[in-house]
Amino acid sequence: DGRARGHALPGSREAVGRAGHFTTMQVRGGAVQGLELHLARLVEASGQLYGASPGTTLLRRHIREALADGGQTAGDCTVRVRILPPFPEGPGDGKAWISDEQPPVAVDIEPPRRPPAAPLRLRTHPGLRALPSVKHLALGFQLQARTQARAAGFDDAVLLAPDGRISEGTFWNIVFWDGQAFAWPDAPALVGVTLQLLRGALEHARIRQARRVLTVDSLAGLVAGFALNSTGIAVIDAIDDHRFPGDPDAERRMRELLAGVPWDPL
C-alpha cells in the first residue's frame, strides 16, 4: 500500500512530525470553500511526514461524524482537522515512526470565525516557520512572534526569511496590490487554501498577478496589503512604520472574487 515502516524525521522535520499537522476550514450550511484543497493538504503532509495517510474518504467520514455529534450537520462552524503522529518506537529524538497503521485523526468543532474588521498593524519578525510548506502544530515560533508583536503595540507579525524577503504572517498568507497587479511574496511559505482559491479566481478574471521578491524596502512601492486565511480577507493598514494608502476598489474586487468561489458540500 506504499506505506513506509520507520520513516525517519531528521532535525526540524522530526519536531514537526512529533507535533502533527492540521487544516482549519470554515463551514457554512454544511459546505466548505476549497474542500478538496483542504483534504489534499492533509493527505500530502501525512505522506511527507509519516509515509502514510488516512485518505480523503476516511477524512470526510471523520468530519461528517464530528459535525453530526456537534449538531452542526447543516450549520455554521469552524472545523479543525488534526493529524497526529503515529506512536514512536521509543522515547527521545532520532527514533523512527511506526507507519503500519494510519495516523490518528482528531476533529475539533468551534464557533464560526470571521476576519478582523479593523485594519491590521503588523510588525516584521525575523525567521521562518519550520517546514514552511506544511501547516503543522509545532506552533511555538508563530505564537512567540505574535506575542512579541502584540506586546509592542501591533496586531500581529509578518515573518521574514533570513535574506529579508517577506514570507507570510503567523497564521495567514499575505498579498499586496501595487496599483496595477497583485503581488505574492516569493519566499518560503505555506501555500494556503484561500491563497490558491484567490489565485485561481484572479487568473479566471484575467487580473494581473505575479510572484515577486518583496522586502521591507519594497513596501514604499505598494498601495495595499491583505492578509488571507480560512476566515477570509483582512486589510493591512501598516507594516512596521510603513502605512499603505489603500485601494477600496482592489479590496472590493478581491472580496467579490472570493465570495464567488463555490462551496463544496461535505
Side-chain angles (χ1 to χ4, degrees):
D1 59 6
R3 293 181 293 177
R5 181 189 295 271
H7 194 69
L9 301 172
S12 63
R13 182 186 173 98
E14 181 171 351
V16 167
R18 290 188 182 280
H21 64 93
F22 72 109
T23 196
T24 301
M25 59 189 83
Q26 295 301 309
V27 178
R28 301 292 183 267
V32 175
Q33 285 184 312
L35 176 61
E36 294 303 323
L37 296 175
H38 282 286
L39 298 176
R41 161 189 284 167
L42 295 171
V43 168
E44 291 167 9
S46 292
Q48 180 181 348
L49 293 174
Y50 308 127
S53 166
T56 58
T57 299
L58 183 59
L59 288 169
R60 283 177 180 267
R61 191 180 78 195
H62 278 295
I63 296 169
R64 289 176 183 144
E65 289 175 352
L67 288 171
D69 291 344
Q72 293 289 344
T73 301
D76 297 349
C77 61
T78 299
V79 170
R80 181 186 300 104
V81 184
R82 294 178 287 127
I83 307 296
L84 306 175
F87 293 111
E89 293 179 353
D93 294 337
K95 296 296 183 181
W97 296 95
I98 298 172
S99 302
D100 288 350
E101 298 183 1
Q102 302 290 358
V105 179
V107 181
D108 308 312
I109 307 295
E110 300 176 353
R113 298 179 185 171
R114 289 171 178 79
L120 300 172
R121 294 180 61 251
L122 307 175
R123 184 193 195 194
T124 54
H125 187 93
L128 300 175
R129 297 184 303 112
L131 288 186
S133 64
V134 176
K135 190 177 180 70
H136 56 73
L137 287 160
L139 303 176
F141 175 75
Q142 295 152 264
L143 293 171
Q144 180 186 53
R146 186 172 66 182
T147 297
Q148 292 179 357
R150 289 179 175 176
F154 295 83
D155 297 305
D156 210 331
V158 176
L159 307 182
L160 301 181
D163 60 5
R165 285 179 295 164
I166 293 171
S167 168
E168 60 184 341
T170 54
F171 293 92
W172 36 269
N173 289 118
I174 191 168
V175 65
F176 299 97
W177 171 249
D178 67 6
Q180 301 294 324
F182 287 97
W184 303 94
D186 188 8
L190 182 74
V191 182
V193 170
T194 302
L195 177 155
Q196 295 179 68
L197 296 176
L198 276 172
R199 277 183 179 170
L202 288 167
E203 181 178 1
H204 186 263
R206 298 186 178 181
I207 296 174
R208 291 174 57 191
Q209 60 179 324
R211 286 176 61 111
R212 286 171 49 183
V213 173
L214 298 168
T215 65
V216 174
D217 291 339
S218 305
L219 297 178
L222 301 173
V223 177
F226 306 94
L228 316 171
N229 65 13
S230 66
T231 65
I233 300 170
V235 175
I236 297 173
D237 177 62
I239 296 179
D240 291 343
D241 59 359
H242 174 79
R243 294 195 66 182
F244 295 98
D247 187 329
D249 289 337
E251 177 189 348
R252 174 187 53 79
R253 188 64 175 128
M254 284 192 72
R255 295 190 187 280
E256 289 176 348
L257 289 172
L258 185 59
V261 173
W263 289 76
D264 306 314
L266 283 161

